[in-house]
């Protein structure tokens, strides 16, 4: 996969994915640092900003969105493409720092095929739900949007 650089971010929130990131020091220098097990492997006291890598192609979600929109409860062949689309769109929303939309897509994915949720996806959901600034109204609004999505398409998938 090819990567492109993303914009600089504030130290909080920290990265979701483990790996190597570029960090800006208080002196203005840029170094590489590794983020593992929800912490930086180097002394982070001098870090002012960080940036990682975005997957190229994340700005072209039309095929995935159309696969998700083609989901129908009475047509099981539409489940897998819709689940793949929801997974892609959730991760894209995380990378674009749109957490409510990411949560909405993760809810759809969890209903369609919970086995597609990787460890990093579950960790992101847990971190998102633990956010102190998250209001119950916003969460309920997202759950309502997911319910509307399934209602328009014949309901939740029938698992046999």
């Amino acid at each position: 996969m090819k990567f492109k650089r993303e914009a600089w971010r504030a130290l909080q929130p920290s990265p979701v994915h483990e790996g190597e990131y570029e960090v800006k020091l208080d002196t203005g220098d840029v170094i590489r640092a590794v983020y593992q097990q929800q912490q930086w492997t180097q002394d982070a006291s001098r870090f002012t900003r960080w940036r990682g890598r975005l997957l190229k192609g994340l700005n072209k979600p039309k095929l995935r969105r159309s696969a998700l929109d083609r989901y129908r409860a009475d047509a099981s062949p539409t489940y897998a493409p819709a689940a793949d689309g929801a997974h892609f769109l959730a991760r894209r929303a995380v990378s674009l720092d749109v957490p409510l939309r990411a949560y909405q897509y993760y809810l759809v994915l969890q209903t369609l095929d919970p086995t597609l949720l990787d460890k990093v996806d579950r960790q992101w959901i847990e971190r998102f739900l633990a956010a102190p600034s998250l209001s119950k109204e916003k969460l309920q609004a997202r759950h309502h949007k997911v319910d509307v999505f399934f209602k328009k398409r014949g309901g939740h998938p029938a698992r046999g």
Side-chain angles (χ1 to χ4, degrees):
M1 285 186 194
K2 296 188 178 192
F3 291 92
K4 66 177 184 176
R5 286 199 176 151
E6 66 177 7
W8 288 104
R9 295 182 183 228
L11 284 182
Q12 293 300 325
S14 299
V16 175
H17 303 282
E18 294 185 349
E20 189 175 86
Y21 291 86
E22 287 183 322
V23 294
K24 195 177 276 190
L25 301 177
D26 52 5
T27 61
D29 294 335
V30 176
I31 63 169
R32 293 191 182 270
V34 176
Y35 188 77
Q36 283 182 331
Q37 298 175 349
Q38 298 182 357
Q39 62 185 1
W40 295 103
T41 58
Q42 298 173 351
D43 178 26
S45 63
R46 296 185 54 215
F47 294 175
T48 58
R49 303 186 82 56
W50 65 270
R51 72 177 174 193
R53 301 170 297 178
L54 286 173
L55 291 175
K56 281 190 176 178
L58 286 179
N59 59 347
K60 298 178 182 178
K62 290 182 182 176
L63 289 175
R64 307 300 176 105
R65 192 170 288 126
S66 64
L68 180 60
D69 287 341
R70 283 195 291 271
Y71 160 79
R72 295 296 177 268
D74 58 352
S76 59
T78 64
Y79 295 179
D84 287 338
H87 197 201
F88 175 88
L89 292 169
R91 288 191 168 183
R92 178 178 184 270
V94 169
S95 76
L96 294 175
D97 200 22
V98 189
L100 285 171
R101 193 176 319 148
Y103 181 64
Q104 180 178 336
Y105 287 128
Y106 274 130
L107 288 176
V108 171
L109 174 62
Q110 206 163 19
T111 302
L112 291 173
D113 189 357
T115 62
L116 283 182
L117 285 169
D118 293 332
K119 181 181 177 184
V120 69
D121 301 316
R122 288 190 298 275
Q123 286 174 343
W124 183 90
I125 293 168
E126 289 168 12
R127 264 179 75 190
F128 172 74
L129 291 173
S133 63
L134 200 58
S135 71
K136 290 182 181 179
E137 294 81 21
K138 287 181 180 179
L139 280 179
Q140 288 173 346
R142 290 299 151 167
H143 282 273
H144 177 70
K145 283 188 174 192
V146 170
D147 290 340
V148 168
F149 169 85
F150 283 112
K151 188 175 182 181
K152 282 183 181 177
R153 291 160 179 83
H156 293 281
R159 301 281 177 204

